[in-house]
PDB file of all heavy atoms in Angstrom:
ATOM      1  N   ALA A 300    -121.192 -19.765-188.339  1.00  0.00           N
ATOM      2  CA  ALA A 300    -121.699 -20.834-187.476  1.00  0.00           C
ATOM      3  C   ALA A 300    -120.858 -22.096-187.584  1.00  0.00           C
ATOM      4  O   ALA A 300    -120.686 -22.819-186.614  1.00  0.00           O
ATOM      5  CB  ALA A 300    -123.152 -21.130-187.833  1.00  0.00           C
ATOM      6  N   ASP A 301    -120.349 -22.351-188.772  1.00  0.00           N
ATOM      7  CA  ASP A 301    -119.582 -23.579-189.001  1.00  0.00           C
ATOM      8  C   ASP A 301    -118.299 -23.209-189.733  1.00  0.00           C
ATOM      9  O   ASP A 301    -118.257 -23.154-190.960  1.00  0.00           O
ATOM     10  CB  ASP A 301    -120.423 -24.559-189.827  1.00  0.00           C
ATOM     11  CG  ASP A 301    -119.767 -25.936-189.909  1.00  0.00           C
ATOM     12  OD1 ASP A 301    -118.845 -26.195-189.120  1.00  0.00           O
ATOM     13  OD2 ASP A 301    -120.187 -26.738-190.758  1.00  0.00           O
ATOM     14  N   ALA A 302    -117.267 -22.894-188.966  1.00  0.00           N
ATOM     15  CA  ALA A 302    -116.043 -22.344-189.542  1.00  0.00           C
ATOM     16  C   ALA A 302    -115.282 -23.376-190.368  1.00  0.00           C
ATOM     17  O   ALA A 302    -115.248 -24.565-190.034  1.00  0.00           O
ATOM     18  CB  ALA A 302    -115.142 -21.803-188.440  1.00  0.00           C
ATOM     19  N   HIS A 303    -114.660 -22.910-191.450  1.00  0.00           N
ATOM     20  CA  HIS A 303    -113.814 -23.730-192.310  1.00  0.00           C
ATOM     21  C   HIS A 303    -112.569 -22.938-192.683  1.00  0.00           C
ATOM     22  O   HIS A 303    -112.503 -21.721-192.474  1.00  0.00           O
ATOM     23  CB  HIS A 303    -114.558 -24.135-193.586  1.00  0.00           C
ATOM     24  CG  HIS A 303    -115.659 -25.115-193.372  1.00  0.00           C
ATOM     25  ND1 HIS A 303    -116.935 -24.723-193.088  1.00  0.00           N
ATOM     26  CD2 HIS A 303    -115.669 -26.474-193.384  1.00  0.00           C
ATOM     27  CE1 HIS A 303    -117.706 -25.793-192.947  1.00  0.00           C
ATOM     28  NE2 HIS A 303    -116.968 -26.863-193.112  1.00  0.00           N
ATOM     29  N   PHE A 304    -111.597 -23.640-193.244  1.00  0.00           N
ATOM     30  CA  PHE A 304    -110.435 -22.957-193.804  1.00  0.00           C
ATOM     31  C   PHE A 304    -110.873 -22.163-195.035  1.00  0.00           C
ATOM     32  O   PHE A 304    -111.900 -22.464-195.649  1.00  0.00           O
ATOM     33  CB  PHE A 304    -109.366 -23.981-194.207  1.00  0.00           C
ATOM     34  CG  PHE A 304    -108.654 -24.619-193.052  1.00  0.00           C
ATOM     35  CD1 PHE A 304    -108.845 -25.955-192.744  1.00  0.00           C
ATOM     36  CD2 PHE A 304    -107.780 -23.879-192.257  1.00  0.00           C
ATOM     37  CE1 PHE A 304    -108.192 -26.553-191.673  1.00  0.00           C
ATOM     38  CE2 PHE A 304    -107.118 -24.461-191.196  1.00  0.00           C
ATOM     39  CZ  PHE A 304    -107.319 -25.802-190.902  1.00  0.00           C
ATOM     40  N   PRO A 305    -110.080 -21.153-195.433  1.00  0.00           N
ATOM     41  CA  PRO A 305    -110.418 -20.392-196.647  1.00  0.00           C
ATOM     42  C   PRO A 305    -110.365 -21.285-197.881  1.00  0.00           C
ATOM     43  O   PRO A 305    -109.583 -22.244-197.930  1.00  0.00           O
ATOM     44  CB  PRO A 305    -109.330 -19.307-196.703  1.00  0.00           C
ATOM     45  CG  PRO A 305    -108.746 -19.266-195.329  1.00  0.00           C
ATOM     46  CD  PRO A 305    -108.887 -20.642-194.767  1.00  0.00           C
ATOM     47  N   PRO A 306    -111.173 -21.001-198.894  1.00  0.00           N
ATOM     48  CA  PRO A 306    -111.155 -21.805-200.126  1.00  0.00           C
ATOM     49  C   PRO A 306    -109.930 -21.488-200.973  1.00  0.00           C
ATOM     50  O   PRO A 306    -109.360 -20.392-200.860  1.00  0.00           O
ATOM     51  CB  PRO A 306    -112.449 -21.379-200.835  1.00  0.00           C
ATOM     52  CG  PRO A 306    -112.651 -19.965-200.382  1.00  0.00           C
ATOM     53  CD  PRO A 306    -112.183 -19.919-198.953  1.00  0.00           C
ATOM     54  N   PRO A 307    -109.522 -22.392-201.858  1.00  0.00           N
ATOM     55  CA  PRO A 307    -108.315 -22.178-202.689  1.00  0.00           C
ATOM     56  C   PRO A 307    -108.629 -21.414-203.975  1.00  0.00           C
ATOM     57  O   PRO A 307    -108.274 -21.844-205.073  1.00  0.00           O
ATOM     58  CB  PRO A 307    -107.865 -23.610-202.990  1.00  0.00           C
ATOM     59  CG  PRO A 307    -109.154 -24.373-203.084  1.00  0.00           C
ATOM     60  CD  PRO A 307    -110.076 -23.757-202.064  1.00  0.00           C
ATOM     61  N   THR A 308    -109.264 -20.268-203.826  1.00  0.00           N
ATOM     62  CA  THR A 308    -109.768 -19.569-205.006  1.00  0.00           C
ATOM     63  C   THR A 308    -108.992 -18.314-205.372  1.00  0.00           C
ATOM     64  O   THR A 308    -109.063 -17.854-206.513  1.00  0.00           O
ATOM     65  CB  THR A 308    -111.245 -19.191-204.786  1.00  0.00           C
ATOM     66  OG1 THR A 308    -111.376 -18.524-203.512  1.00  0.00           O
ATOM     67  CG2 THR A 308    -112.121 -20.444-204.779  1.00  0.00           C
ATOM     68  N   THR A 309    -108.269 -17.719-204.423  1.00  0.00           N
ATOM     69  CA  THR A 309    -107.490 -16.512-204.694  1.00  0.00           C
ATOM     70  C   THR A 309    -106.139 -16.604-203.996  1.00  0.00           C
ATOM     71  O   THR A 309    -105.951 -17.427-203.080  1.00  0.00           O
ATOM     72  CB  THR A 309    -108.207 -15.251-204.185  1.00  0.00           C
ATOM     73  OG1 THR A 309    -108.278 -15.297-202.742  1.00  0.00           O
ATOM     74  CG2 THR A 309    -109.630 -15.147-204.761  1.00  0.00           C
ATOM     75  N   VAL A 310    -105.231 -15.737-204.402  1.00  0.00           N
ATOM     76  CA  VAL A 310    -103.918 -15.684-203.746  1.00  0.00           C
ATOM     77  C   VAL A 310    -104.081 -15.336-202.270  1.00  0.00           C
ATOM     78  O   VAL A 310    -103.427 -15.925-201.395  1.00  0.00           O
ATOM     79  CB  VAL A 310    -103.004 -14.655-204.450  1.00  0.00           C
ATOM     80  CG1 VAL A 310    -101.735 -14.415-203.641  1.00  0.00           C
ATOM     81  CG2 VAL A 310    -102.660 -15.122-205.859  1.00  0.00           C
ATOM     82  N   GLU A 311    -104.970 -14.398-201.974  1.00  0.00           N
ATOM     83  CA  GLU A 311    -105.203 -13.990-200.585  1.00  0.00           C
ATOM     84  C   GLU A 311    -105.721 -15.156-199.745  1.00  0.00           C
ATOM     85  O   GLU A 311    -105.247 -15.397-198.627  1.00  0.00           O
ATOM     86  CB  GLU A 311    -106.205 -12.837-200.550  1.00  0.00           C
ATOM     87  CG  GLU A 311    -106.470 -12.313-199.144  1.00  0.00           C
ATOM     88  CD  GLU A 311    -107.498 -11.190-199.125  1.00  0.00           C
ATOM     89  OE1 GLU A 311    -108.079 -10.882-200.190  1.00  0.00           O
ATOM     90  OE2 GLU A 311    -107.725 -10.622-198.030  1.00  0.00           O
TER      91      GLU A 311
END
Side-chain angles (χ1 to χ4, degrees):
D301 189 15
H303 290 89
F304 288 111
T308 50
T309 66
V310 170
E311 182 181 5

